[in-house]
């Protein structure tokens, strides 16, 4: 018997924590979205990886129903002309009406983050989302979560 599950895999809006006392805001230009999937075999892992250039890869245990997108964001209200870094968690678990999904290999790009003369900058978030495999079923529905990123100025 083939198990199939129709999933909506959203990923999160980010919560901002700043190390410096400025009123930063992050505008979501394009949400990080792993698409809608069908997983034909719950015994094997299903995987989607979104790359920095916006392309994506999958393994053979997944049927994508729409296109994943990298997260694109604009930082405003930061100190002008300032280098900064962003810290992300190593892994985030997305929960929904079945087993969790793992979001890992989280990357922030570009590598050099610097605000412009009015304290703004654009950055992208990418990563890999995968099922647990091992027979863990994933029911139809939305799987989403949020995570905190830390801006270090």
């Amino acid at each position: 018997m083939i198990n199939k599950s129709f999933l909506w895999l959203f990923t999160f809006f980010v919560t901002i924590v700043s190390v410096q006392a400025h009123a930063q805001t992050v505008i979501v230009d394009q949400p990080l979205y792993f698409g809608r999937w069908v997983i034909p075999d719950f015994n094997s892992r299903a995987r989607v990886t979104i790359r920095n250039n916006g392309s994506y890869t999958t393994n053979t245990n997944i049927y994508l129903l729409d296109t994943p997108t990298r997260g694109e964001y604009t930082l405003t209200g930061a100190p002008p002309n300032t280098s900064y870094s962003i810290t992300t968690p190593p892994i985030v678990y997305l929960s929904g009406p079945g087993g969790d999904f793992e979001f890992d290999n989280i990357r922030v790009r570009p590598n050099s983050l610097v605000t412009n003369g009015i304290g703004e900058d654009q950055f992208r978030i990418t990563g890999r989302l995968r099922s647990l495999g091992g027979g863990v079923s994933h029911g139809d529905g939305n799987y989403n979560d949020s995570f905190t990123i830390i801006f270090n100025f």
Side-chain angles (χ1 to χ4, degrees):
M1 178 176 165
I2 295 178
N3 292 319
K4 292 186 179 181
S5 185
F6 179 71
L7 311 169
W8 290 81
L9 297 168
F10 297 100
T11 311
F12 7 98
F13 181 72
V14 293
T15 303
I16 303 166
V17 177
S18 176
V19 177
Q20 198 172 43
H22 285 275
Q24 290 90 23
T25 301
V26 172
I27 299 165
V28 179
D29 301 317
Q30 175 175 277
L32 180 59
Y33 176 63
F34 283 91
R36 293 181 303 142
W37 304 1
V38 175
I39 300 174
D41 180 5
F42 292 139
N43 291 309
S44 299
R45 284 189 173 226
R47 173 188 39 78
V48 172
T49 302
I50 301 175
R51 297 179 173 169
N52 181 50
N53 66 5
S55 67
Y56 60 90
T57 60
T58 66
N59 66 358
T60 58
N61 191 35
I62 189 170
Y63 302 117
L64 281 177
L65 302 175
D66 53 355
T67 304
T69 59
R70 68 184 179 188
E72 298 179 0
Y73 307 92
T74 300
L75 171 67
T76 65
N81 303 312
T82 303
S83 296
Y84 67 100
S85 65
I86 296 176
T87 304
T88 65
I91 190 167
V92 176
Y93 292 95
L94 279 69
S95 57
D100 290 346
F101 283 85
E102 297 175 343
F103 174 47
D104 63 0
N105 293 342
I106 302 168
R107 304 282 185 258
V108 176
R109 296 292 183 263
N111 289 327
S112 296
L113 299 167
V114 180
T115 60
N116 62 17
I118 59 171
E120 295 182 352
D121 193 29
Q122 294 183 315
F123 63 94
R124 299 174 299 280
I125 296 179
T126 62
R128 174 178 68 181
L129 190 69
R130 58 188 180 163
S131 67
L132 299 176
V136 175
S137 66
H138 300 278
D140 294 351
N142 293 331
Y143 290 75
N144 51 44
D145 209 332
S146 62
F147 62 98
T148 299
I149 62 174
I150 299 172
F151 290 81
N152 305 293
F153 292 94

